[in-house]
Amino acid sequence: MKMLINVPETVVADALRGLAAAHPELTVDVENRVIVRRDAPVAGKVALVSGGGSGHEPLHGGFVGPGMLSAACPGEVFTSPVPDQMARAAAAVDSGAGVLFVVKNYTGDVLNFDMAAELAEDEGIQVAKVLVDDDVAVTDSLYTAGRRGTGATLFVEKIAGAAADEGQPLERVAAVARQVNESSRSFGVALTACTTPAKGSPTFDLPPGELELGIGIHGEPGRERRPMMTSGEIADFAVHAILEDMSPRNPVLVLVNGMGATPLLELYGFNAEVQRVLAERGVAVARTLVGNYVTSLDMAGASVTLCQVDEELLRLWDAPVKTAGLRWGM
Amino acid sequence: MKMLINVPETVVADALRGLAAAHPELTVDVENRVIVRRDAPVAGKVALVSGGGSGHEPLHGGFVGPGMLSAACPGEVFTSPVPDQMARAAAAVDSGAGVLFVVKNYTGDVLNFDMAAELAEDEGIQVAKVLVDDDVAVTDSLYTAGRRGTGATLFVEKIAGAAADEGQPLERVAAVARQVNESSRSFGVALTACTTPAKGSPTFDLPPGELELGIGIHGEPGRERRPMMTSGEIADFAVHAILEDMSPRNPVLVLVNGMGATPLLELYGFNAEVQRVLAERGVAVARTLVGNYVTSLDMAGASVTLCQVDEELLRLWDAPVKTAGLRWGM
């Protein structure tokens, strides 16, 4: 498998150097692998720190900036960052108002963020945590006890980031983040496997004529394999799977997310089918975002995330944000 | 080849329906295939219209909005739109201040935009045209007499769009657009071919261990094939090819553009190497943009575009823009 890299060992460091060059508004510590808003700590405001394995870009480093994350810690590809990275990030961004850790539900991330919280608290930093576990496809999986954290991470980081930006206190920012996670559900499909630089060959075997329904963002197995389906059939399956698990009374935010290698032309077409199914099911749509946001390297496929929002969450979603991967209003 | 589509015949229409659903700030005429700013025509301001074959998203439909294009006309995949689409778009956005057609240099696009200009002028619309031909890889090619139009299209549309947004007159907006094109050079590489929905198999054959240097955005042949190279070697080759053809005295805008299927992690790493080569060659960098902007469906690979900017062009680049694919300052 061909890749636009130097050697697998330097992929993450190379990407961090390239991120730093493109984004002078970020402070990128390449050696310690911490990406921080250049203006951090911001006086009087709660800071948000997230992180996880690399390979899901723009998540999380591309979501660092005003109105979203204060810092992100990238691990090796598909590998949790270490507690030292997270504690270092927390120390860099804490203004005294405390730090919220946004943690996707994978065993390694959960353990390491727990240890980082202890390290940070030892330094006198007040820490709260939110666990993101929105993927309805499977309960328990490779790397996960309970549901996996996927597309809802974007909603949690954006909406809680807006609450923090307004100067809301730590317990309130954490409560908003938990509300967003509890209001969100996701379902993903893969048309191809992905290839990590270290392995150099596809992480799993998916035959030419089949797709995997309920895929995880590291290529973890989903619910089932089927012969290839149309965009409309996939939208039916994914949205129905989500709506088996939630009954939105309020309008929803919709994320139609590409896994990495699926063209935007196809993602927009898929969005048309997702919107059709939501209309058939009587679900009102408040906002829709289409693009590659929570990716799995070069995997072809897509995921759908719905987040039920009240007026307050919608207001926070619409608030200005300025990051490499998501930007509006400034 | 698996795709997230219904049937090849409806790919463009499906994508337009999905675009409309996600972006209520656009008026999308699915039947006639015209994407227009909802607030068009904007009184007293020059309008920009572009278009071309589909499969390069977010170009051009994703660049419609305040500060960039007034309208875009998507053709079938890798096929020019027809003159009626362009004339319809011009009529929808002309405020009386005239329309600038931004035309990538492909034979079909050039002919059709010429015919559209005649149609629009017959309706009393003042039309100017700018031809984008920035690709230094080859002179004359499949589909093209002269150089191909690629990544510089983004710079032309953004910077001329800002000039139009300021209320500059048509001749001035056209002059700015031409200056941007003349100040820009691009070079692209492919690690894989792309697959059009209609064909369903790769558009050309690229062996596992080779890459194509100087690829076009439809998979047109480049300069040569070589055994696979590192990110650093590719950056050396691409930037040197560009600098053989331009000697920037002013700082440059850098676009490190993904062809569609190359992960953002790799694109940022590639950017680090591009910046290294520019520094070695003494070229100052004003701004850098990294991402998938002028794509070739599911092709893996990347292109580099440099645009030499004076203070005025840089000011217009930094001006606010609000589109699906590029947004800042509002």
Side-chain angles (χ1 to χ4, degrees), chain B residues 48-328:
Chain B
L48 266 70
V49 172
S50 191
S54 292
H56 307 300
E57 290 69 22
L59 181 86
H60 297 271
F63 297 151
V64 175
M68 212 159 167
L69 295 179
S70 310
C73 312
E76 278 299 314
V77 171
F78 293 176
T79 304
S80 174
V82 296
D84 274 357
Q85 282 172 272
M86 301 154 179
R88 191 182 292 266
V93 299
D94 180 43
S95 69
V99 176
L100 176 67
F101 283 168
V102 180
V103 186
K104 300 196 302 300
N105 189 32
Y106 299 97
T107 308
D109 295 80
V110 171
L111 284 172
N112 288 342
F113 269 105
D114 278 349
M115 287 179 62
E118 288 179 23
L119 292 172
E121 282 162 354
D122 287 347
E123 300 296 318
I125 299 171
Q126 199 187 350
V127 176
K129 284 174 286 182
V130 58
L131 198 67
V132 183
D133 60 348
D134 54 306
D135 185 349
V136 303
V138 293
T139 308
D140 300 336
S141 162
L142 210 57
Y143 316 131
T144 325
R147 286 180 169 180
R148 303 176 293 217
T150 59
T153 316
L154 181 148
F155 290 139
V156 171
E157 294 179 356
K158 169 65 185 78
I159 293 174
D165 204 47
E166 288 185 354
Q168 297 191 24
L170 182 57
E171 63 182 29
R172 179 68 201 137
V173 174
V176 165
R178 288 185 198 109
Q179 184 189 352
V180 174
N181 179 59
E182 286 160 13
S183 305
S184 298
R185 300 290 188 279
S186 296
F187 192 91
V189 302
L191 308 192
T192 69
C194 54
T195 300
T196 60
K199 186 159 187 282
S201 59
T203 53
F204 62 99
D205 182 48
L206 190 52
E210 293 182 16
L211 84 170
E212 173 110 12
L213 294 160
I215 195 77
I217 58 173
H218 312 90
E220 310 97 303
R223 287 193 185 178
E224 57 178 303
R225 289 185 177 186
R226 289 200 183 177
M228 192 55 201
M229 295 157 68
T230 66
S231 170
E233 290 165 347
I234 294 169
D236 278 317
F237 195 99
V239 176
H240 289 165
I242 290 171
L243 294 180
E244 272 172 27
D245 205 77
M246 75 188 299
S247 303
R249 297 184 186 183
N250 287 324
V252 295
L253 308 177
V254 179
L255 170 63
V256 170
N257 173 64
M259 292 298 191
T262 289
L264 203 50
L265 185 73
E266 296 178 26
L267 290 180
Y268 272 113
F270 183 52
N271 180 50
E273 298 298 337
V274 169
Q275 302 283 334
R276 172 188 57 74
V277 184
L278 290 170
E280 287 169 3
R281 294 289 297 263
V283 178
V285 174
R287 303 285 184 273
T288 299
L289 187 66
V290 179
N292 292 287
Y293 293 102
V294 182
T295 61
S296 304
L297 293 170
D298 62 339
M299 183 186 284
S303 63
V304 179
T305 302
L306 304 183
C307 174
Q308 188 179 184
V309 288
D310 57 21
E311 284 184 19
E312 175 64 2
L313 294 192
L314 183 58
R315 186 183 68 77
L316 292 169
W317 172 254
D318 285 339
V321 59
K322 185 178 178 181
T323 72
L326 204 67
R327 186 166 175 179
W328 55 71

Side-chain angles (χ1 to χ4, degrees), chain A residues 262-307:
Chain A
T262 289
L264 202 50
L265 185 72
E266 296 179 25
L267 291 180
Y268 273 113
F270 183 52
N271 179 49
E273 297 297 336
V274 169
Q275 303 282 336
R276 172 188 56 76
V277 184
L278 290 170
E280 287 168 3
R281 294 289 298 263
V283 178
V285 174
R287 303 286 184 273
T288 299
L289 187 66
V290 179
N292 292 288
Y293 293 103
V294 182
T295 61
S296 303
L297 293 170
D298 62 340
M299 184 186 285
S303 63
V304 179
T305 303
L306 304 183
C307 174

Side-chain angles (χ1 to χ4, degrees), chain A residues 2-87:
Chain A
K2 290 174 281 188
M3 294 181 180
L4 187 54
I5 64 172
N6 287 318
V7 291
E9 294 71 21
T10 64
V11 163
V12 175
D14 289 349
L16 288 173
R17 290 190 295 120
L19 181 72
H23 293 283
E25 72 279 12
L26 299 174
T27 302
V28 180
D29 181 339
V30 177
E31 188 183 345
N32 293 302
R33 302 195 175 184
V34 181
I35 302 160
V36 180
R37 279 175 63 164
R38 189 168 284 283
D39 60 353
V42 182
K45 295 189 179 174
V46 169
L48 266 71
V49 172
S50 191
S54 292
H56 307 301
E57 290 69 22
L59 182 86
H60 298 270
F63 296 152
V64 175
M68 213 160 166
L69 296 179
S70 310
C73 312
E76 278 298 315
V77 171
F78 293 176
T79 304
S80 174
V82 296
D84 274 356
Q85 282 172 271
M86 302 155 180

Side-chain angles (χ1 to χ4, degrees), chain A residues 84-131:
Chain A
D84 274 356
Q85 282 172 271
M86 302 155 180
R88 191 182 292 265
V93 298
D94 180 43
S95 68
V99 176
L100 177 67
F101 284 167
V102 180
V103 187
K104 299 197 303 302
N105 189 32
Y106 299 97
T107 308
D109 296 80
V110 171
L111 284 172
N112 288 343
F113 269 107
D114 278 349
M115 286 178 62
E118 288 178 24
L119 292 172
E121 283 162 352
D122 287 348
E123 300 296 318
I125 299 171
Q126 198 185 351
V127 177
K129 284 174 287 183
V130 58
L131 198 67

